[in-house]
Structures are given as structure tokens and as C-alpha cells.
Amino acid sequence: MMDIVKAIILGIIEGLTEFIPVSSTGHLILAGNLLNFEGDAAITFKIVIQLGAVMAVLILYWKRYMEIGTNLIRMDFAQSKGLNVIHMILAMLPALIVYLILKDTIKSRLFGPAPVLIGLVAGGVLMILAARSKRTIIADTMDGINYKQAFGIGLFQCLALWPGFSRSGTTISAGLLLGTSQRAAADFTFLISVPVMFGASLLDLYDSRNLLNADDLILMVIGFITSFLVALIAVATFIKLIKRLRLEWFALYRFVLAAIFYFIVIR
């Protein structure tokens, strides 16, 4: 019963933090440490429940995915017509390659409170630098993002493999540094989150197939459903929030969270 309560709590945290640049994975790791919910199965649980929140994005952007899928079937990749599957591949490929090479190291060495605190602070510094950069905006909307920017964002996405950096925070920071508006970068990070998290979750489920039992699967289903329902409620509000608030506010929250957790738990 206690594990079910923990699964629900973590599902709520995931649903609330997936769409803002504060690192949902970092929050899950810190919360898991406080709840004594750790280990190989817990690591996979924390990754899988992200799918629940990401499914909310799939619902929100379903028309856009249909459009991209239609263009893919037609083999229509004209950049002048806006975002297409090539943009998404360029943005996902670098991090996918790095993850496949270093996934064991990442899970064994970075999924702990200390690395998360480092990621929170370092990611916050990156966000402040990006927000204060004086780049000329050449892509005001997501459809204005070019292939070079998409690939550049993909390179920055490798940083997000370090828990605490935040996938959305890294993507938005990269977009600002590469000449996109915050709104365009936010839309782009939400759009690519579905294939990225879906693929990562499937890989982790496969790698952990011998470690999981029926009880673990039940907890994953509970966490998945909880994060999905919470994200459905929060997604519209948070998407508007991330497009309007300056990144410095999210960076400040990250610094405060890292300090509190350091003095209460680690020190």
C-alpha cells in the first residue's frame, strides 16, 4: 500500500514538472530519495511514468503530428512549408546516439541526489546565459526553425541526459542561443518530447525486463495514469507559462531547490 502511495506522489510530481524547465527527472530522483524509493526498478519507474505526462502533449499536438506524418508519407520535406520530420530527427539524433553509448554510465552514476543538484545549478546558469544573450531572432514561431537550428538544439539536448539539466530547459536555452524565440523553442521541445520519451522508455523497459516483476508493473501503471491525468490538467497552463515567463525565474527556483535539498538531505 505504501508503494502505491509513493507511485501516486511521484506521478503527480512528474505531471506537474514535465512541462517546465526545472527537470522532472531531477525532481523524481530527489523525491525518490526522500521517499526511499530507489534502485534499478525505481529508475525505470521514474522514466516510464514520464510517458504519462508526454501522452498529454500527444493529445495537445495531435493535429501537428498528423500533419508531419502526412508529409512523411508524401516524402514532402520542403523546409519552406514549416517544421517536418527532418527537423525532429536532427533534434533527437545526437542525444539518442550519446544515450545508447553511455546509458549504463548515466543510470549508474548520474541518477543520484548529488549529480542532480549539480545539474540543477549548471542548467540554471545555462538558462540565465541564454535568457540574457542578445541574439537576433530569426525564428519567431516553431515553423521558422531551420535545419541548422534543429541540429544545434539536438547537440544541446545531450546535456539533458544529465538529470537536473532539464530537457525543456536545455531545448529552450539552445533555441534562444541559436536565434529562436522562447515561444518557438517551447513549442519545439513539447513536440519532440513524445518520440524522445517514448523511445527512451521502451529502451529502459527492454533493458530492465529481467529485473521487473508484476508488482513493479502495477506501480508503473499507477504512476503512468497519475502523471497522465495531472499533466492533462496542467499542460495548457504550463505551456502558456513557459512561453511568457523569463527563464531567470525558473533558474532561481532551481537554485533554491538545490540549496534546500543540499542542506536538508546531503549535508
Side-chain angles (χ1 to χ4, degrees):
M1 181 64 184
M2 194 61 199
D3 283 342
I4 293 177
V5 173
K6 293 177 182 179
I8 293 173
I9 292 173
L10 292 173
I12 292 173
I13 292 173
E14 166 58 27
L16 290 174
T17 59
E18 179 63 38
F19 303 104
I20 52 179
V22 297
S23 179
S24 60
T25 302
H27 276 72
L28 291 176
I29 292 172
L30 297 180
N33 180 269
L34 291 174
L35 296 172
N36 194 28
F37 190 75
E38 298 179 300
D40 291 333
I43 290 176
T44 302
F45 169 86
K46 293 165 188 173
I47 293 175
V48 169
I49 66 170
Q50 291 177 335
L51 267 180
V54 169
M55 291 302 289
V57 176
L58 182 60
I59 291 175
L60 183 69
Y61 285 92
W62 71 270
K63 289 184 179 179
R64 200 59 199 265
Y65 286 113
M66 291 292 292
E67 179 183 331
I68 292 174
T70 300
N71 290 339
L72 176 60
I73 294 173
R74 295 174 178 173
M75 299 296 289
D76 185 359
F77 305 128
Q79 191 172 178
S80 60
K81 295 184 179 180
L83 199 76
N84 59 54
V85 70
I86 295 181
H87 290 91
M88 299 178 69
I89 291 174
L90 290 173
M92 295 185 295
L93 194 58
L96 175 61
I97 293 173
V98 173
Y99 179 73
L100 289 175
I101 295 173
L102 300 177
K103 62 180 178 179
D104 291 336
T105 301
I106 291 171
K107 293 179 70 173
S108 64
R109 298 189 179 184
L110 299 182
F111 273 65
V116 168
L117 298 189
I118 294 173
L120 285 171
V121 174
V125 172
L126 173 63
M127 290 162 60
I128 290 175
L129 292 176
R132 296 185 177 182
S133 65
K134 302 298 181 181
R135 300 284 180 175
T136 301
I137 295 178
I138 59 177
D140 188 52
T141 67
M142 181 168 57
D143 283 318
I145 296 176
N146 58 42
Y147 292 148
K148 182 178 179 181
Q149 289 172 320
F151 183 66
I153 289 173
L155 293 176
F156 272 89
Q157 281 277 298
C158 295
L159 293 174
L161 296 175
W162 186 301
F165 261 93
S166 168
R167 179 178 45 77
S168 61
T170 303
T171 302
I172 294 172
S173 297
L176 292 177
L177 291 171
L178 294 171
T180 78
S181 68
Q182 186 165 315
R183 178 181 65 172
D187 279 329
F188 191 50
T189 189
F190 295 140
L191 193 71
I192 65 175
S193 67
V194 173
V196 167
M197 294 311 305
F198 185 73
S201 297
L202 287 182
L203 283 173
D204 275 284
L205 276 176
Y206 179 78
D207 290 341
S208 305
R209 63 192 183 282
N210 297 323
L211 301 173
L212 303 176
N213 54 45
D215 292 337
D216 293 327
L217 293 177
I218 291 173
L219 292 179
M220 288 183 185
V221 170
I222 292 172
F224 177 94
I225 294 174
T226 302
S227 65
F228 173 71
L229 294 176
V230 172
L232 273 181
I233 297 172
V235 64
T237 300
F238 284 171
I239 285 181
K240 293 178 181 178
L241 185 68
I242 189 59
K243 291 178 182 178
R244 292 166 52 187
L245 284 184
R246 290 182 60 85
L247 288 183
E248 286 97 334
W249 290 107
F250 297 105
L252 178 61
Y253 168 82
R254 295 160 68 101
F255 297 153
V256 172
L257 177 66
I260 291 175
F261 199 90
Y262 173 78
F263 285 108
I264 292 178
V265 178
I266 294 182
R267 188 176 182 184

